[in-house]
Amino acid sequence: MSFTPCKRLLSAGYRVFFLLAGLFGLLSIAIWTLWQAIYGAFDLPVALPQMWHAHEMVFGYGSAAVAGFLLTAAPNWTKSGPEPLSFFAATSGLWLLGRLAMWLSGDLPALLVAFVDLAFLPVLAGRILQTLLKRPKPQQLILLAAILVLWLGNLLTHVEWVGLSADTADQGLRGGLLALCALIMILGGRVTPAFTRNAMLREGREENLPSNPAPLAAMAIAPALLAALATLAGLPLQMAGAAALLAGLSGLIRVALWRGAWTRNQPILWVLHLSYALNALGFVLYGLAAIDLVSEIAALHMLGIGGVGGMTLAVMSRAALGHSGRALIAPRPVALAYALLPLAALSRLAANLSPDLYMPGIIASGLLWTLAFALYSYALWPVFWGEKQQKPAPA
């Protein structure tokens, strides 16, 4: 069947949602960084600028990346056919309406903004559940639990914004971010050692392959989800911190067993290892923040930039290349983007180390992130809009 570029874009989850995630990651942080750099020179149309930034990176960017992955992977897991174009048009439109409502939240009724923004994830989860029930497996259904926790975080933010509570937005934003990072513990913990093992076997290596013990995986995943739930429930920070510390330390041990050094000449692989490690480090920092040893804001940005940003960029680019039939070799602009995001995370960390570094660190971090997503969007633009190549790349 011959498709126009627009129909091709709407023919697969990895096309439309990974493009939207890339463009939104680029534009939202570019606007935010400019607003920070010339603070007070212009007004944003959002109701709460600081909250808008945090909300949109977690529930805007994060939900698009999750949607693109699951709507691509779930049909493969269950051997079911692709979704129709009408479904991708409707769901991507719903996601865009949520972003527009949040952008205009300064002029729209808070209840309308909440209704529009909260609609996307339940639609996504319902479709994924319908797909997974064709061949249900517990290790796949747990993803829906993480999506539910993510949605509950969004719900708590809007509960305060519509005036039904006085202090639930912060815990909703933090709980939502931790839910995304728990998803990385789950999905990153599967794909990183698996893809590394496959690459080693293709090159004839049959010894010292990545090791991924199930008990250690459980020690990373369960406390990560518990940290998100404890945060959403408003439990003492020390409880969420203890769970986060266990998750992070377990995650660091896991990634040390995955032979990351072997991937040093393959950016499309080492970025998975590095991003998983930064995500685990973010959990460790969050645990230390609970006992006032580090800045909580620094920990949250390590999770958001190094963990969520790094892993989603890695998975989106790999999935886009692989499912479009292209070689699993990161184009040079994308490989550069992989390297820029850890630098963005370090710059944001430096911003919390000294008052003199605060604004330079924030601006540097924003610029590095923006450049990374500009490179990603530019390099993969033909992949999202173009025809699928005939010979699929090896998984």
Side-chain angles (χ1 to χ4, degrees), residues 72 143 170 298 317-318 335 366:
T72 303
L143 300 174
D170 279 341
S317 55
R318 182 187 179 97

Side-chain angles (χ1 to χ4, degrees), residues 164-231:
L164 297 178
S165 75
D167 57 357
T168 58
D170 279 341
Q171 67 198 62
L173 292 170
R174 284 162 171 75
L177 175 58
L178 291 171
L180 275 181
C181 295
L183 269 172
I184 290 173
M185 286 292 195
I186 298 169
L187 294 172
R190 293 181 194 174
V191 302
T192 304
F195 290 161
T196 304
R197 179 186 181 88
N198 291 344
M200 287 179 164
L201 292 175
R202 283 198 300 271
E203 295 195 11
R205 177 166 174 168
E206 298 182 357
E207 297 180 352
N208 295 321
L209 298 175
S211 175
N212 195 21
L216 190 57
M219 289 177 62
I221 294 169
L225 285 170
L226 182 60
L229 288 170
T231 301

Side-chain angles (χ1 to χ4, degrees), residues 38-229:
I38 53 176
Y39 186 77
F42 65 96
D43 293 327
L44 297 177
V46 302
L48 302 165
Q50 298 287 343
M51 289 288 194
W52 171 80
H53 163 64
H55 178 278
E56 288 302 89
M57 297 318 298
V58 175
F59 304 112
Y61 171 80
S63 64
V66 169
F69 176 82
L70 290 179
L71 291 171
T72 303
N76 285 344
W77 293 338
T78 59
K79 308 302 180 185
S80 58
E83 302 289 352
L85 271 66
S86 58
F87 173 78
F88 289 120
T91 51
S92 60
L94 186 59
W95 180 87
L96 284 167
L97 280 176
R99 310 291 57 80
L100 181 62
M102 286 299 304
W103 178 247
L104 299 176
S105 57
D107 297 315
L108 295 175
L111 192 60
L112 174 63
V113 174
F115 178 80
V116 174
D117 183 48
L118 288 168
F120 175 73
L121 282 179
V123 171
L124 171 66
R127 197 60 168 224
I128 296 301
L129 177 61
Q130 183 182 30
T131 302
L132 293 182
L133 285 178
K134 296 176 182 178
R135 294 188 178 184
K137 294 181 180 179
Q139 65 268 32
Q140 294 171 353
L141 294 175
I142 194 177
L143 300 174
L144 293 174
I147 292 176
L148 174 60
V149 177
L150 177 63
W151 183 82
L152 288 174
N154 199 10
L155 177 64
L156 285 179
T157 63
H158 285 289
V159 164
E160 178 177 332
W161 292 343
V162 300
L164 297 178
S165 75
D167 57 357
T168 58
D170 279 341
Q171 67 198 62
L173 292 170
R174 284 162 171 75
L177 175 58
L178 291 171
L180 275 181
C181 295
L183 269 172
I184 290 173
M185 286 292 195
I186 298 169
L187 294 172
R190 293 181 194 174
V191 302
T192 304
F195 290 161
T196 304
R197 179 186 181 88
N198 291 344
M200 287 179 164
L201 292 175
R202 283 198 300 271
E203 295 195 11
R205 177 166 174 168
E206 298 182 357
E207 297 180 352
N208 295 321
L209 298 175
S211 175
N212 195 21
L216 190 57
M219 289 177 62
I221 294 169
L225 285 170
L226 182 60
L229 288 170

